[in-house]
Amino acid sequence: MACTMGPEPFAEDSSDERPKWDNKFQYLLSCIGFAVGLGNIWRFPYLCQTYGGGAFLIPYFIALVFEGIPLFHIEIAIGQRLRRGSVGVWKAISPYLGGVGLGCFTVSFLVSLYYNTILVWVLWYFLNSFQDPLPWSTCPLDLNRTGFVEECQSSSAVSYFWYRQTLNTTADINDSGFVQWRLLLCLAACWVIVYLCVIRGIESTGKVVYFTALFPYLVLTVFLIRGSTLPGATEGLIYLFTPNIRVLQNPRVWLDAATQIFFSLSLAFGGHIAFASYNPPRNDCEKDAVTIALVNSMTSLYASIAVFSVVGFKATNDYGHCQDRNILSLINTFDLPDQSVSRDDYPAVLAHLNATQPARVAQLHLRSCRLEDFLDKSASGTGLAFIVFTEAIIHMPGAPVWAVLFFGMLFSLGLSTMLGIMEGIITPLLDLGVVPRSVPKEALTGVACLVCFVSALCFSLQSGNYWLEIFDNYAASLNLIIFAFFEVIGVVYVYGMKRFCDDVEWMTGRRPGLYWQVTWKLIGPLMLLFIFVAYIVILAQKPPSYRAWNPQYEHFPSHQEKLYPGWVQATCMLLSFLPSLWVPAVALAQLLTRRRRQKQQGVRPQLQDGHAC
Amino acid sequence: MLWPLFFLVTAIHAELCQPADAENAFKVRLSIKTALGDKAYAWDTNEEYLFKAMVAFSMRKVPNRETTEISHVLLCNVTQRVSFWFVVTDPSKKYTLPAMEVQSAIRMSRNRINNAFFLNDQTLEFLKIPSTLAPPSDPAVPIWIIVFGVIFCIVIVAITVLILSGIRQHRRNNDGPSEVEDAEDKCETTITVENGIPCDPLDTKDGCLNDAFVTEGERLTPL
């Protein structure tokens, strides 16, 4: 018995029609593309491996059910009902909450800057993959061509290509260096590509997502098939998924599971609100929320299987090389015939030699090779993509093809997320009416992309990757949690639970059940509060530091741990809290304007009474 | 009588070709099985002869050393690994040639020596002689710039097409409303024709006067 009369109509922008999706599939693909991003590839497998393999899935799915899906449902429900971007939605719910929308807008802007820089790096590697042999497979030669460049010799060809030939990184964050023209070109290309995709809003975005959202799945499948046939893949997978239940006692696991779900679904950016606002009003948002969230988590699992087959292959390869190096050492020192000691014979031969000539064996400084040590060398983030995976690809037959596929996949994953972030920037600008109607949308999106491009120039400096790490750690995390908290509180307590349930019932035809009401009212806000407090505790525990790449460091190629200088720490603090300040600022501004208006209204009736004749 | 001479020669040989500490001696290490797998040949005295010949050949290319003979190259300490030491002596066989000369000679002919044994710089190692590494092939224009240029041009063309079509649509929308008004005027001025008799459209400003009523009333009822 749904009400035939809709809920109280809000002031719809009836002057022009709101653009809408061509079909439901486009909307689903856009949301999935926005949610599924680089983190699914390079953060989830790392967490799975660090926190006891299969056991990590337990806190992960608990967080998904009690935090991820309810918050996600709220976002798309209010976007669909109120048919505005994030700024408009919060102003409509309550003028005091308008700051939440502005804050989401600011965070989307900051994130777009550094997220696209990661795409710049991916694009650079993609462009360099069209050659055989791949440029990161060998070190460049030194000046008199008798050996390799010193820095490359001490670390590895892959690290050298990443830190020197791509980033040309400095040893300290204070030393900014110059703008790298190669990265600048790729930055321009990336922003031009993003502009092409968002040029007409969802009209163009909707067409692009057919490719950017589906292509990664194709590549993941290809990598899965290829990876499973590589030697050592099974070791990697076993290592990844072997559950270690005891790790669940560590509270850090639960925190990381909750934050992973939160950031993986791209909540509180305003992008999902924007996407949902282009939906027809009567659309089953509950089913959409559950579908998209589940697809996101399944993609994480699928990706981690593919990633770990390849990582297992690399570890086995490195283990084999380690053994071969030891064998060669033995053969050369003891003048045994070439290839006389196989990998299986090695332990016996070593024992025999150790018994007969221990002094000479000790002089060799043989490294002990254990497969677990190589499997443990996991990495997350850019380390996984640009160092571990690139090194694994070199050893696969037909390396350039795999490199092109891999970096193409990363690029389209990142691009589909960028589209969602840009929607979180552009839709509020359109709704706020900052530009007059006569200005075409192409010009607005062009100016937005240009502003973002100019602001992102700082990341193409030589110290750019240190700054990116700062933005990644501080700009988004705390602010998004604060905004999500206010979102839930705003919808449940300010807008009203009953009113919201009526809206959902009108849109979907079913009233939200007990599960939704409990998670919205109680569990969601509590979990967000818990994450927020835990985050602050962890951040406060040790002074923030970064790991610098310093060829002059005595323990090179290990990274040098350095503390951030004072002004950088101040920047981190500002980044963490400045966007959230919109909330109290706007609330205060609203309060002051209300008071002023009340005072004026209070004065006028008195005048009338005085002159009533 | 020849025996003492023979012993003297071998003694001198042993003295000249001393491994490890001799500064003019070079250690060579071969990894034939690694390089050739099944097609590996065995290392015997004939191969050693060939090696001596190649070293003598390299020395002959050095100015002032054109008279180096195979007998001037001495090998010793051949092991199962296949590694050995060699020295190059001068024509009088009294002293060994300086290491720098031998090194530069070998470096110049390194490729020929490798090819004679089907090996390369990694499988035929001269332990004190660094090999000149081949520079990686550097095309005139790096490949990444070519791919970048292609992608960038495609994207710019696509953006231009989209912007131009957007402008054209905008103009068509602006012309659109005025076109609609013309059509309405045309509708008003069409005259419907039925049976060859033009009908006045019903929505004319004046009403239609029915002449029958007006004339009869006046004729029949004069007062």
Side-chain angles (χ1 to χ4, degrees):
Chain A
M1 204 213 76
C3 316
T4 45
M5 198 178 73
E8 309 153 18
F10 284 88
E12 307 261 333
D13 42 349
S14 49
S15 51
D16 64 322
E17 304 164 352
R18 197 165 180 80
K20 49 186 198 290
W21 300 105
D22 290 344
N23 52 53
K24 177 79 177 272
F25 191 54
Q26 250 184 26
Y27 164 64
L28 283 179
L29 277 187
S30 300
C31 284
I32 289 175
F34 182 34
V36 173
L38 297 170
N40 295 65
I41 303 284
W42 69 34
R43 180 110 180 109
F44 180 79
Y46 168 75
L47 288 176
C48 233
Q49 186 204 0
T50 318
Y51 291 129
F56 180 70
L57 293 176
I58 299 176
Y60 183 74
F61 275 105
I62 291 180
L64 176 69
V65 164
F66 287 108
E67 178 205 347
I69 296 185
L71 288 178
F72 193 51
H73 188 195
I74 284 190
E75 270 206 31
I76 60 179
I78 50 168
Q80 192 175 294
R81 171 66 196 93
L82 300 176
R83 301 176 62 81
R84 300 276 175 79
S86 63
V87 178
V89 148
W90 296 109
K91 267 182 23 183
I93 288 186
S94 156
Y96 293 99
L97 282 180
V100 177
L102 283 172
C104 291
F105 169 78
T106 316
V107 168
S108 289
F109 172 70
L110 291 174
V111 171
S112 75
L113 299 181
Y114 79 79
Y115 205 86
N116 214 22
T117 307
I118 301 180
L119 283 190
V120 170
W121 298 339
V122 171
L123 181 68
W124 164 255
Y125 268 78
F126 177 76
L127 294 176
N128 273 297
S129 303
F130 285 95
Q131 45 191 301
D132 190 15
L134 293 168
W136 54 83
S137 56
T138 48
C139 283
L141 302 176
D142 62 9
L143 287 169
N144 50 2
R145 305 215 315 219
T146 52
F148 298 122
V149 171
E150 169 67 40
E151 191 181 339
C152 192
Q153 188 88 325
S154 341
S155 54
S156 69
V158 175
S159 306
Y160 181 76
F161 186 78
W162 169 236
Y163 285 107
R164 191 55 52 212
Q165 290 175 308
T166 305
L167 300 174
N168 200 5
T169 186
T170 52
D172 195 286
I173 195 173
N174 276 319
D175 184 7
S176 293
F178 304 105
V179 171
Q180 297 301 297
W181 66 271
R182 295 181 177 87
L183 291 182
L184 186 64
L185 280 183
C186 293
L187 185 71
C190 276
W191 276 110
V192 162
I193 293 175
V194 168
Y195 177 48
L196 173 66
C197 297
V198 297
I199 191 169
R200 292 225 188 116
I202 62 163
E203 210 184 299
S204 46
T205 305
K207 313 265 185 319
V208 171
V209 285
Y210 281 116
F211 176 73
T212 58
L214 293 176
F215 179 65
Y217 287 99
L218 179 67
V219 175
L220 275 177
T221 311
V222 170
F223 261 99
L224 195 66
I225 298 175
R226 179 66 190 120
S228 56
T229 58
L230 289 170
T234 24
E235 277 88 354
L237 286 175
I238 293 172
Y239 196 69
L240 168 69
F241 282 118
T242 313
N244 176 12
I245 301 286
R246 269 182 311 149
V247 83
L248 294 180
Q249 293 165 2
N250 178 7
R252 196 64 202 270
V253 178
W254 297 88
L255 173 68
D256 276 338
T259 43
Q260 172 64 15
I261 275 291
F262 183 78
F263 294 122
S264 179
L265 283 170
S266 307
L267 296 170
F269 274 97
H272 286 298
I273 299 181
F275 280 151
S277 69
Y278 300 115
N279 268 341
R282 282 189 189 248
N283 176 48
D284 195 342
C285 51
E286 179 184 335
K287 205 161 71 166
D288 292 344
V290 175
T291 310
I292 297 171
L294 281 180
V295 168
N296 179 49
S297 296
M298 289 305 134
T299 310
S300 292
L301 268 176
Y302 195 56
S304 57
I305 298 178
V307 164
F308 263 87
S309 321
V310 178
V311 167
F313 159 72
K314 174 181 183 288
T316 308
N317 214 350
D318 287 346
Y319 173 60
H321 284 319
C322 180
Q323 284 181 311
D324 286 345
R325 265 196 306 271
N326 284 349
I327 291 175
L328 198 63
S329 251
L330 271 186
I331 286 181
N332 285 346
T333 317
F334 291 98
D335 287 324
L336 304 167
D338 187 23
Q339 299 234 340
S340 55
V341 181
S342 70
R343 289 181 192 169
D344 299 324
D345 297 333
Y346 171 71
V349 172
L350 180 65
H352 170 76
L353 286 170
N354 223 353
T356 49
Q357 304 186 50
R360 277 180 88 185
V361 173
Q363 259 186 347
L364 287 176
H365 301 294
L366 295 172
R367 273 181 56 201
S368 68
C369 304
R370 286 176 60 237
L371 184 59
E372 289 75 30
D373 293 340
F374 291 104
L375 284 170
D376 264 337
K377 271 199 213 146
S378 62
S380 76
T382 51
L384 177 76
F386 298 117
I387 297 189
V388 172
F389 225 80
T390 43
E391 195 169 335
I393 287 180
I394 303 175
H395 299 298
M396 291 164 71
V401 172
W402 302 108
V404 166
L405 278 180
F406 177 66
F407 290 111
M409 169 185 78
L410 284 189
F411 191 77
S412 53
L413 274 175
L415 186 63
S416 55
T417 310
M418 268 308 290
L419 299 182
I421 298 175
M422 291 309 286
E423 272 310 312
I425 298 177
I426 290 173
T427 306
L429 285 177
L430 285 172
D431 289 339
L432 278 180
V434 235
V435 284
R437 285 269 163 235
S438 57
V439 173
K441 198 187 276 192
E442 288 90 338
L444 174 69
T445 46
V447 169
C449 289
L450 190 65
V451 170
C452 292
F453 166 69
V454 171
S455 315
L457 283 177
C458 63
F459 292 114
S460 59
L461 291 169
Q462 287 180 257
S463 55
N465 69 316
Y466 300 133
W467 282 105
L468 196 130
E469 214 180 299
I470 289 178
F471 268 69
D472 194 17
N473 288 334
Y474 296 101
S477 23
L478 279 174
N479 292 312
L480 289 177
I481 298 173
I482 294 176
F483 295 139
F485 183 75
F486 277 109
E487 270 184 21
V488 183
I489 298 294
V491 168
V492 169
Y493 295 106
V494 175
Y495 188 73
M497 180 66 126
K498 184 175 175 312
R499 207 161 129 201
F500 184 62
C501 289
D502 290 338
D503 287 347
V504 175
E505 187 177 1
W506 180 77
M507 288 192 291
T508 66
R510 302 181 297 278
R511 199 167 180 82
L514 186 66
Y515 157 71
W516 297 109
Q517 303 209 6
V518 169
T519 47
W520 286 337
K521 260 205 149 112
L522 209 57
I523 303 186
L526 277 180
M527 279 185 90
L528 286 172
L529 210 57
F530 155 69
I531 298 174
F532 180 70
V533 169
Y535 234 113
I536 295 218
V537 164
I538 288 177
L539 279 180
Q541 261 176 1
K542 64 180 185 77
S545 62
Y546 65 107
R547 291 159 65 239
W549 179 261
N550 185 6
Q552 265 71 44
Y553 183 46
E554 47 180 353
H555 297 304
F556 187 75
S558 301
H559 292 259
Q560 185 181 15
E561 191 97 16
K562 289 189 183 176
L563 291 177
Y564 284 126
W567 62 280
V568 175
Q569 287 195 17
T571 318
C572 297
M573 293 277 290
L574 278 180
L575 275 177
S576 306
F577 286 109
L578 218 53
S580 312
L581 288 182
W582 276 117
V583 180
V586 168
L588 206 63
Q590 275 296 313
L591 203 63
L592 291 177
T593 23
R594 283 272 162 102
R595 281 235 185 100
R596 210 183 315 138
R597 219 180 290 152
Q598 273 175 3
K599 265 195 215 146
Q600 284 176 354
Q601 282 179 353
V603 167
R604 248 187 266 122
Q606 279 181 1
L607 289 174
Q608 281 187 353
D609 284 337
H611 294 264
C613 290
Chain B
M1 196 191 86
L2 283 171
W3 286 109
L5 202 60
F6 177 71
F7 281 127
L8 191 62
V9 166
T10 42
I12 295 173
H13 178 163
E15 209 182 80
L16 284 174
C17 178
Q18 274 194 28
D21 302 336
E23 49 181 69
N24 293 338
F26 292 93
K27 181 163 184 184
V28 179
R29 191 190 292 148
L30 288 96
S31 311
I32 308 175
K33 258 207 198 137
T34 312
L36 300 170
D38 290 334
K39 302 200 202 95
Y41 48 82
W43 185 259
D44 52 15
T45 42
N46 296 330
E47 305 286 343
E48 286 178 24
Y49 190 82
L50 177 59
F51 184 81
K52 287 194 230 181
M54 294 305 297
V55 172
F57 164 76
S58 324
M59 290 309 300
R60 278 175 165 237
K61 295 213 156 174
V62 175
N64 288 345
R65 296 286 171 212
E66 284 92 345
T67 54
T68 313
E69 298 289 338
I70 292 182
S71 52
H72 296 159
V73 182
L74 307 173
L75 259 61
C76 50
N77 270 43
V78 184
T79 65
Q80 264 193 321
R81 169 70 180 83
V82 193
S83 67
F84 48 84
W85 291 82
F86 77 92
V87 288
V88 186
T89 59
D90 74 312
S92 67
K93 295 200 186 160
K94 291 234 185 68
Y95 59 89
T96 55
L97 295 185
M100 290 310 301
E101 267 194 53
V102 181
Q103 186 175 22
S104 59
I106 302 268
R107 279 186 84 177
M108 277 201 302
S109 317
R110 186 68 185 268
N111 216 18
R112 296 290 294 273
I113 303 178
N114 286 349
N115 283 337
F117 294 97
F118 304 123
L119 300 172
N120 58 28
D121 281 356
Q122 282 77 45
T123 42
L124 171 56
E125 297 166 74
F126 289 82
L127 285 191
K128 276 191 298 189
I129 304 179
S131 49
T132 313
L133 299 163
S137 57
D138 251 338
V141 180
I143 295 186
W144 73 268
I145 290 190
I146 300 176
V147 185
F148 171 83
V150 167
I151 295 180
F152 202 71
C153 287
I154 294 178
V155 172
I156 294 287
V157 164
I159 290 180
T160 321
V161 163
L162 281 176
I163 291 185
L164 286 178
S165 72
I167 294 179
R168 211 180 309 140
Q169 207 168 25
H170 199 65
R171 252 188 237 141
R172 211 180 297 146
N173 283 343
N174 281 341
D175 295 339
S178 51
E179 281 179 12
V180 171
E181 286 164 9
D182 287 340
E184 281 179 0
D185 282 336
K186 278 204 207 118
C187 282
E188 280 193 8
T189 49
T190 47
I191 301 174
T192 44
V193 176
E194 217 170 279
N195 290 341
I197 308 170
C199 314
D200 296 323
L202 281 171
D203 52 347
T204 44
K205 289 150 197 116
D206 311 314
C208 277
L209 207 58
N210 191 346
D211 296 327
F213 277 112
V214 172
T215 47
E216 282 219 341
E218 276 180 16
R219 245 186 322 117
L220 287 176
T221 54
L223 271 175

